Amino acid sequence: MSQPASQSARPPLWLAAAAVVAAWGAVYDVGVWFIQFARQPVHPDFRIFYVAAEAGLRHGWASIYDVATLRSLSKSLPPGQDYITSALPFIHPPLLAWLIAPLTALPLAVAYAIWCAILLAALIWAWYIAAPYSGFRKVALLLLAVAIWPVLDAFYFGQPSTLQLALLAASWWLCTRERPLAAGAALAFATALKPHTVILVPLALAASGRFRPAFSWAVVASLQAAVFAFVLGPAGLNNWWLALVYGQTDPGQSLYTMAYLFGSGPVSYALEALQGAAALVVARRRRDDVSVVFAGGIVGSLAFAFHLHQYDYIELILAAWLVLRSAPPLWHRIFLLAGAATLLALDLGQPIPQLTWDLGWLVILWAGGYARRTEPSSVRVQPGL
């Protein structure tokens, strides 16, 4: 005897329980953000972005990487927040300072709150277009994303990680709609926010035979680089290089990479390069599925990077959403769920589980641990290019 439609449509008990846990985790993270904002509405990374934007507007954009200028401007900030160290330099491409510049007309706390609202909107939009399923299961994926601690870190520090995630999702979405030039442009802007966390994605597209979005990325990225060089000038470019070198002297910049296990040197670089190469092989082997191509490029970029923080790893959330679209078998889905635990371990200062998980996922993608069909979603997706 068949079940009534109302009963058969109900989610399984285990899924409902997981969603409840994710919901409470999301409530906890949102609550922590509001409490921290009430206690101290000035947070280290966003303060650096804000001060860099002020430096550009007041002293010219070549000054946004000048440590002395940033220290001078930060003296007006509260005690304990008025310093620039190798752990807190401004090393992002100029695009981030330009995005923050309009917010410098507002008090720092207000600017930070608005920026976090923008970051939240970016996460929700990326989830809407990229996450699989519909209804209850799709909402559960959003709740789980918000519940993951590195996502809370991204909001707390004001990092543009969710904005980059949204641009990556847009690039994938445009690829599925046969708009390769726009897809490449979106990917170029994602790269301009944090190059090291997505650098292999355009190479993965090229490896999969999707040359038009890769070419578009190369053209737009080259134009961006030319604009950056023109606006910064020789002095600004030199300051940027010095800021990068200064920032890398802090061992915390490589804490979440292979350097944690093997130190900064040839062994770590070789292992990172091998994982990056493996990601490109995955993209070639699984070229019929653009979702897996993007996922491989994302996980490969993070495994390849020599400069990472815990919030940089949230790009894996998008990679998981995209792979779930390919309807992987249950064991693969359990592996992806375990990734939420390894992301939580990052905030406990334990990168080994995440480094191991990244390698394991590359092996799974290489071996083809997913089905060749598409999960239904509330957002209709056309076949890949």
Side-chain angles (χ1 to χ4, degrees), residues 26 204 238 244 268 286 301 320 345 350 368 379:
N238 183 63
L244 289 169
S268 293
R286 308 302 173 194
S301 296
Q350 299 296 330
V379 181

Side-chain angles (χ1 to χ4, degrees), residues 139-155:
V139 172
L141 289 179
L142 177 61
L143 293 173
L144 179 59
V146 176
I148 292 174
W149 289 349
V151 174
L152 172 61
D153 282 337
F155 287 115

Side-chain angles (χ1 to χ4, degrees), residues 243-268:
L244 289 169
V245 172
Y246 179 52
Q248 204 59 30
T249 61
D250 174 47
Q253 308 288 3
S254 57
L255 176 63
Y256 301 98
T257 70
M258 282 291 174
Y260 180 85
L261 294 173
F262 304 102
S264 296
V267 175
S268 293

Side-chain angles (χ1 to χ4, degrees), residues 172-173 175-178 290 379-385:
W172 165 83
W173 185 76
C175 270
T176 64
R177 279 157 173 73
E178 299 188 5
V290 68
V379 181
R380 299 182 67 182
V381 179
Q382 297 176 1
L385 294 178

Side-chain angles (χ1 to χ4, degrees), residues 3-310:
Q3 292 181 335
S6 59
Q7 293 183 8
S8 61
R10 292 176 182 174
L13 182 60
W14 68 268
L15 180 60
V20 169
V21 172
W24 278 112
V27 169
Y28 171 82
D29 278 5
V30 172
V32 167
W33 185 92
F34 277 105
I35 290 171
Q36 294 296 335
F37 180 79
R39 288 179 176 176
Q40 184 180 337
V42 181
H43 300 292
D45 290 14
F46 183 78
R47 171 180 57 80
I48 301 300
F49 307 156
Y50 186 94
V51 169
E54 279 192 320
L57 292 172
R58 295 184 185 184
H59 305 291
W61 294 107
S63 67
I64 64 177
Y65 301 107
D66 183 66
V67 172
T69 300
L70 299 185
R71 283 177 174 163
S72 176
L73 289 173
S74 68
K75 288 180 179 178
S76 61
L77 297 174
Q81 296 285 328
D82 56 348
Y83 58 88
I84 306 290
T85 69
S86 60
L88 290 169
F90 182 74
I91 58 176
H92 291 265
L95 178 62
L96 181 58
W98 298 345
L99 292 174
I100 299 294
L103 297 178
T104 60
L106 302 170
L108 180 55
V110 177
Y112 168 71
I114 293 175
W115 179 246
C116 285
I118 293 171
L119 297 180
L120 178 59
L123 176 63
I124 293 173
W125 187 76
W127 160 80
Y128 176 72
I129 66 170
Y133 315 133
S134 59
F136 180 86
R137 292 198 297 169
K138 188 171 180 114
V139 172
L141 289 179
L142 177 61
L143 293 173
L144 179 59
V146 176
I148 292 174
W149 289 349
V151 174
L152 172 61
D153 282 337
F155 287 115
Y156 176 79
F157 291 110
Q159 282 286 332
S161 301
T162 60
L163 187 58
Q164 183 182 56
L165 186 147
L167 287 166
L168 277 173
S171 180
W172 165 83
W173 185 76
L174 289 164
C175 270
T176 64
R177 279 157 173 73
E178 299 188 5
R179 298 177 62 183
L181 299 184
L187 183 55
F189 279 98
T191 308
L193 286 174
K194 284 190 172 187
H196 60 292
T197 58
V198 297
I199 192 61
L200 292 186
V201 176
L203 298 183
L205 287 171
S208 72
R210 293 172 172 84
F211 298 110
R212 289 184 294 170
F215 176 76
S216 174
W217 169 85
V219 171
V220 176
S222 297
L223 290 174
Q224 289 173 335
V227 171
F228 294 164
F230 176 77
V231 173
L232 293 177
L237 291 173
N238 183 63
N239 287 340
W240 191 1
W241 171 252
L242 294 176
L244 289 169
V245 172
Y246 179 52
Q248 204 59 30
T249 61
D250 174 47
Q253 308 288 3
S254 57
L255 176 63
Y256 301 98
T257 70
M258 282 291 174
Y260 180 85
L261 294 173
F262 304 102
S264 296
V267 175
S268 293
Y269 299 148
L271 291 174
E272 289 162 357
L274 284 173
Q275 291 183 89
L280 298 183
V281 174
V282 167
R284 182 61 184 172
R285 285 169 57 89
R286 308 302 173 194
R287 58 187 177 273
D288 58 324
D289 191 335
V290 68
S291 296
V292 175
V293 170
F294 267 84
I298 292 169
V299 67
S301 296
L302 294 170
F304 178 70
F306 60 88
H307 173 110
L308 283 176
H309 293 277
Q310 62 271 34

